[in-house]
Amino acid sequence: MPQTHCLLIGAPVDSGQHRPGCLMGPAAYRTAGLAGALEALGHSVTDLGDVACAPIPATSANSAVHHLPETLGWTRALAEAGEAACAKGMPIFMGGDHSLALGSVAGVAAAAKASGRPLFVLWLDAHSDFHTPSTTVSGNLHGTPVAYLAGREFPEFPPFPAPVPPENICLFGIRSVDAAEHAALLEHEIAINDMRVLDERGVVAPLREFLELVEAADGLLHVSLDVDFLDPSVAPAVGTTVPGGATFREAHLVMELLHESGRVTSLDLVELNPFLDERGRTAHLMVDLVASLMGKKVFDRPTRSFRGQM
């Protein structure tokens, strides 16, 4: 497998939800050996350290929204870090709660726009994250990134640099969708592969269909991997557990198919809460999944070249 230069970007974001602990995520990935796992596969690694956040003063018309200044600060900082990293290799954002994707995908989208290639997004998550700041009841902004990147109304935020067309977005493994999100999703042509679909069709067919679209468009692919994509029985270190998620083997199969596609150019690792983990069990599983995405397998099979750079 051709070498990819991986840039690790720590995003100790804890402001997008109420349960503390996700800010320890980047340190947990480092301790679990993410850099070493990538280097063992022949990739080069630069750890850029943790991004710093400078809150941006702002208020929301929705009184439920909390930590808006911090989230705006993280969005700007991570967008800048992500766009810069795309010019050098494959950014891997180590979170941190899922509100970090407001910035990570914005940065990647800006780089994709500059390269003249379309961006596709694979959302591996129990939740659709399709709220806007005005529709969220909990006020948790980790439930809004897909709506932001799809170009929905976010008056408190800077305009998304290049909204991702709905047909370029794939929600995969979802099993918890609020009523407001459900209604909004019906108005968009987003591929929705919830657990009912995966139970009926398996993970291979729907994922390959999406990857074929990416291939046909010569697109760049951002993967956002939430710990709660996995079933809590195998990945307990998350504050938003939803039963019925992907099994250990299904998750590895998804990663192997992504590797074989040769299309992944950026990655989020989100919602790891080490405070809720069992002796690093979830952190080590997430590192193992990244290794599968980057080429680790039991038996080598011919694959296409891996496009790790813009």
Side-chain angles (χ1 to χ4, degrees):
M1 173 181 180
Q3 185 186 72
T4 298
H5 186 50
C6 302
L7 298 109
L8 306 184
I9 301 172
V13 182
D14 219 8
S15 57
Q17 36 78 53
H18 283 294
R19 192 161 193 173
C22 286
L23 61 83
M24 299 185 289
Y29 285 117
R30 294 184 177 103
T31 303
L34 178 57
L38 294 168
E39 290 169 342
L41 293 167
H43 306 295
S44 58
V45 178
T46 298
D47 190 335
L48 299 176
D50 289 353
V51 172
C53 168
I56 299 172
T59 57
S60 175
N62 181 356
S63 61
V65 171
H66 59 88
H67 292 97
L68 179 60
E70 291 86 352
T71 303
L72 286 169
W74 283 118
T75 299
R76 180 170 65 184
L78 288 167
E80 292 173 354
E83 183 176 7
C86 285
K88 302 173 183 177
M90 176 179 174
I92 299 177
F93 300 89
M94 304 181 298
D97 71 57
H98 220 154
S99 66
L100 74 85
L102 294 161
S104 66
V105 185
V108 170
K113 181 179 180 181
S115 74
R117 294 171 65 188
L119 178 66
F120 290 74
V121 176
L122 177 64
W123 205 257
L124 301 172
D125 198 330
H127 307 86
S128 62
D129 293 342
F130 209 59
H131 274 297
T132 68
S134 64
T135 67
T136 176
V137 175
S138 68
N140 295 334
L141 293 176
H142 71 167
T144 64
V146 178
Y148 185 48
L149 66 92
R152 295 188 69 195
E153 291 289 328
F154 273 68
E156 302 90 344
F157 285 73
F160 196 80
V164 181
E167 61 271 20
N168 289 15
I169 303 169
C170 178
L171 305 180
F172 203 87
I174 64 170
R175 53 197 187 277
S176 178
V177 181
D178 292 345
E181 294 175 293
H182 184 274
L185 284 167
L186 293 177
E187 300 176 358
H188 294 76
E189 296 296 324
I190 293 175
I192 302 173
N193 292 293
D194 60 13
M195 290 307 297
R196 168 68 183 267
V197 171
L198 302 188
D199 285 343
E200 291 183 348
R201 303 187 65 201
V203 300
V204 176
L207 181 55
R208 280 190 172 153
E209 289 167 3
F210 182 65
L211 292 174
E212 286 170 1
L213 295 177
V214 183
E215 177 75 22
D218 189 27
L220 305 168
L221 178 58
H222 179 83
V223 175
S224 203
L225 173 60
D226 191 312
V227 171
D228 69 21
F229 167 67
L230 300 152
D231 191 80
S233 64
V234 297
V238 63
T240 52
T241 54
V242 183
T247 66
F248 176 92
R249 187 55 236 152
E250 287 171 333
H252 273 286
L253 180 55
V254 167
M255 296 299 116
E256 291 162 10
L257 292 170
L258 289 171
H259 166 69
E260 291 170 6
S261 77
R263 284 289 165 183
V264 180
T265 47
S266 51
L267 174 66
D268 294 330
L269 303 173
V270 303
E271 296 289 349
L272 174 66
N273 187 333
F275 187 75
L276 304 175
D277 212 355
E278 301 169 357
R279 298 184 179 182
R281 174 186 175 192
T282 307
H284 281 104
L285 173 55
M286 291 288 280
V287 169
D288 286 344
L289 290 174
V290 177
S292 289
L293 173 61
M294 298 301 290
K296 183 179 181 180
K297 53 178 67 70
V298 175
F299 184 79
D300 284 334
R301 293 175 173 83
T303 63
R304 305 171 194 175
S305 62
F306 190 89
R307 300 172 179 84
Q309 288 186 245
M310 294 284 184

